[in-house]
Amino acid sequence: MKIDTKSELTKDIEASISLAHDSGQPKKTQKQVREHLAYILPKLTEPNALIQPIKMALAAIEQRESRKSWYEKPIGVVSLSVLAGLLVAFLAFKAGWG
């Protein structure tokens, strides 16, 4: 029979770390997990085995948040604007306005 010696806090932190590495979580959940781990991290003292995993989990969340979608980048905006302009010009030409 295996005895579980982990505290509820340790289980909670490990669950949050697991959620932090799951990229399928909604942004609201990621924000809550980030806030939770950022709150706990300064309270832990060396040598605690959870410090490094928490730092890695926070870094994973930060990396995901810093990535932008293609339409949020300047080249995406320019490309979308050019395509929209070409579409409008084509429709105007077809309608006989050009």
Side-chain angles (χ1 to χ4, degrees), residues 3-98:
I3 299 174
D4 189 9
T5 59
K6 291 183 180 178
S7 70
E8 291 299 315
L9 180 60
T10 301
K11 290 178 186 178
D12 180 51
I13 293 171
E14 288 175 346
S16 294
I17 291 170
S18 177
L19 284 173
H21 288 290
D22 183 5
S23 61
Q25 295 295 322
K27 289 190 184 284
K28 182 178 180 182
T29 303
Q30 286 184 10
K31 182 179 181 219
Q32 291 171 341
V33 168
R34 185 190 60 211
E35 290 172 354
H36 178 63
L37 292 175
Y39 174 78
I40 290 172
L41 184 61
K43 297 186 180 337
L44 300 177
T45 58
E46 293 286 346
N48 191 314
L50 292 172
I51 292 174
Q52 193 59 32
I54 290 174
K55 288 180 180 179
M56 291 171 52
L58 288 170
I61 292 173
E62 182 65 31
Q63 182 183 19
R64 262 196 312 279
E65 289 179 348
S66 67
R67 279 193 241 148
K68 292 184 177 180
S69 300
W70 66 270
Y71 54 85
E72 294 176 314
K73 296 178 183 175
I75 190 70
V77 172
V78 169
S79 300
L80 193 60
S81 299
V82 168
L83 287 174
L86 289 173
L87 178 64
V88 169
F90 175 76
L91 291 175
F93 179 75
K94 282 292 190 183
W97 295 341

